[in-house]
Amino acid sequence: MKKLIFATNNKHKIEEVSSLLSGKVEIISLAAAGLEGEIPETSDTLQGNALQKAQWVWDRTKSDCFADDTGLEVEALDGAPGVYSARYAGEHCSFDDNIDKLLRALQGETNRKAAFRTVICLIENGEPHYFEGKIEGTILTERHGIRGFGYDPIFLPNRYAVSFAEMPLEVKNLISHRGLSVKKLVDYLVKK
Ligand code: IMP
């Protein structure tokens, strides 16, 4: 069976992708591949960071591998926090700090359009391939729901009546940026 190293130590991400590829491709975590250390993420684009992370694994293993990077892009803020979504309120900030900062930045703003975007970079035989997933929605004026993580309580996907944090995970995974990007990767891999 084909093996792919996923450049993440996030168990939830490994499980999600492994279940979608079960029986077709074996997903190997960084730890299982014997890789340790902080992977640099210094690009100012999602695509650049995904490539940087996948390249870090390729350079050390010469094995096929992939990495992902996600950002929340808010129209009225010219695409911020974007690639800096994890540390929008500063290094080591919490999800709540990020939400508070975003709500403050959008106080009184009527254009609340936003999108989550995920870019996956697969390196196969040394060549990068990109897969993108995007979901559009709006930023709520206050938190709704307690599920999920990150900006979920203030993100209302278009055509839905509830925030990401009010949805069961299975529903969110079906429509989310990450779910869509993973589906494109899976479609590419199983067609081979
Ligand atoms: P990562 O590239 O997957 O680590 O995502 C970067 C940051 O984007 C996270 O730290 C979260 O703040 C935010 N984020 C990514 N995916 C989601 C999501 O599904 N819901 C809410 N926030 C997310």
XYZ file of all heavy atoms in Angstrom, residues 13 53 68-71 85-86 95 98 116 149-152 164 172 177-178, ligand 1:
185
model
N -6.122 15.612 12.999
C -5.926 15.712 11.552
C -5.519 14.355 10.977
O -5.992 13.945 9.921
C -4.841 16.746 11.232
C -5.286 18.182 11.446
C -4.206 19.127 10.944
C -4.558 20.578 11.189
N -3.475 21.474 10.756
N 6.498 23.252 4.856
C 6.372 22.135 5.802
C 6.573 20.786 5.093
O 7.245 19.896 5.612
C 5.009 22.186 6.508
C 4.888 23.343 7.494
C 3.613 23.280 8.301
C 2.459 23.988 7.665
N 1.269 24.108 8.514
N -0.491 20.774 5.446
C -1.595 21.702 5.204
C -1.376 23.010 5.961
O -0.620 23.065 6.928
C -2.943 21.082 5.606
C -3.098 20.930 7.110
O -2.082 20.900 7.830
O -4.244 20.834 7.576
N -2.034 24.061 5.490
C -2.019 25.327 6.218
C -3.368 26.005 6.001
O -3.923 25.949 4.897
C -0.877 26.230 5.739
C -0.481 27.232 6.820
O -0.394 26.844 7.997
O -0.276 28.413 6.492
N -3.891 26.612 7.065
C -5.242 27.180 7.020
C -5.249 28.609 7.535
O -4.487 28.942 8.444
C -6.193 26.339 7.918
O -6.316 25.044 7.346
C -7.578 26.959 8.011
N -6.132 29.424 6.974
C -6.310 30.774 7.495
C -7.753 31.229 7.346
O -8.496 30.725 6.496
N -3.571 33.493 11.310
C -4.763 33.222 12.118
C -4.452 32.625 13.490
O -5.095 32.974 14.480
C -5.718 32.285 11.374
O -6.218 32.933 10.231
N -3.469 31.733 13.571
C -3.175 31.061 14.848
C -2.634 32.045 15.884
O -2.909 31.923 17.069
C -2.176 29.928 14.631
N -7.362 30.764 21.731
C -8.424 30.933 20.736
C -9.328 32.096 21.141
O -9.789 32.875 20.308
C -9.269 29.652 20.627
C -8.540 28.491 20.011
C -8.746 27.200 20.480
C -7.672 28.671 18.945
C -8.093 26.124 19.899
C -7.014 27.605 18.349
C -7.230 26.312 18.841
N -7.869 35.454 20.251
C -8.000 35.727 18.810
C -9.415 36.181 18.470
O -9.605 37.127 17.709
C -7.666 34.468 17.998
C -6.170 34.212 17.919
O -5.374 35.132 18.030
N -5.788 32.963 17.732
N -12.830 30.675 5.269
C -11.731 29.812 5.717
C -11.145 29.173 4.470
O -11.886 28.693 3.599
C -12.252 28.678 6.603
C -12.350 29.009 8.063
C -13.575 29.065 8.684
C -11.206 29.222 8.814
C -13.678 29.348 10.042
C -11.293 29.503 10.170
C -12.528 29.565 10.780
N -13.131 24.419 17.542
C -11.943 25.105 18.060
C -11.749 26.394 17.269
O -12.520 26.704 16.359
C -10.707 24.202 17.943
C -10.250 23.990 16.525
C -9.167 24.700 16.012
C -10.915 23.120 15.693
C -8.757 24.528 14.687
C -10.516 22.946 14.370
C -9.434 23.643 13.881
N -10.705 27.127 17.612
C -10.345 28.330 16.852
C -11.494 29.323 16.769
O -12.140 29.654 17.776
N -11.767 29.770 15.568
C -12.780 30.802 15.339
C -14.185 30.218 15.136
O -15.107 30.952 14.762
C -12.394 31.639 14.108
C -11.061 32.354 14.237
C -9.868 31.737 13.855
C -10.990 33.647 14.754
C -8.640 32.381 13.974
C -9.775 34.304 14.868
C -8.602 33.664 14.476
O -7.391 34.310 14.588
N -14.357 28.922 15.374
C -15.650 28.266 15.113
C -16.860 28.995 15.715
O -17.896 29.107 15.047
C -15.637 26.816 15.622
C -14.935 25.882 14.648
O -14.663 26.303 13.512
O -14.665 24.729 15.032
N -20.165 27.193 13.054
C -19.360 25.955 13.051
C -19.375 25.312 14.448
O -19.341 24.097 14.576
C -17.920 26.278 12.667
C -17.593 26.062 11.205
C -16.323 26.410 10.724
C -18.510 25.523 10.324
C -15.984 26.201 9.389
C -18.180 25.311 8.985
C -16.918 25.653 8.513
N -19.632 19.534 10.102
C -18.583 20.516 9.802
C -17.544 19.910 8.840
O -17.165 20.553 7.859
C -17.897 20.969 11.096
C -16.815 22.010 10.842
C -16.000 22.361 12.061
C -14.712 23.051 11.631
N -13.730 23.185 12.710
N -13.537 23.946 4.892
C -12.311 24.183 4.136
C -11.374 22.977 4.181
O -10.911 22.492 3.159
C -11.620 25.412 4.730
C -11.573 25.413 6.244
N -12.713 25.398 7.011
C -10.547 25.354 7.127
C -12.388 25.359 8.286
N -11.073 25.327 8.378
N -11.101 22.470 5.403
C -10.160 21.352 5.528
C -10.746 20.094 4.889
O -10.080 19.391 4.146
C -9.825 21.105 6.998
C -8.575 20.263 7.209
C -8.112 20.219 8.657
N -9.114 20.660 9.575
C -9.184 21.896 10.081
N -8.263 22.766 9.791
N -10.161 22.226 10.899
P -3.772 25.348 10.952
O -2.951 25.813 9.786
O -4.662 24.176 10.625
O -2.934 25.104 12.173
O -4.764 26.539 11.316
C -4.301 27.835 11.687
C -5.318 28.548 12.566
O -6.520 28.796 11.823
C -5.778 27.751 13.799
O -4.926 27.971 14.891
C -7.158 28.347 14.052
O -7.063 29.557 14.764
C -7.659 28.650 12.651
N -8.463 27.527 12.146
C -8.050 26.560 11.290
N -9.056 25.704 11.025
C -10.114 26.132 11.743
C -11.447 25.651 11.888
O -11.869 24.632 11.310
N -12.244 26.358 12.706
C -11.843 27.481 13.365
N -10.613 27.964 13.289
C -9.744 27.296 12.460
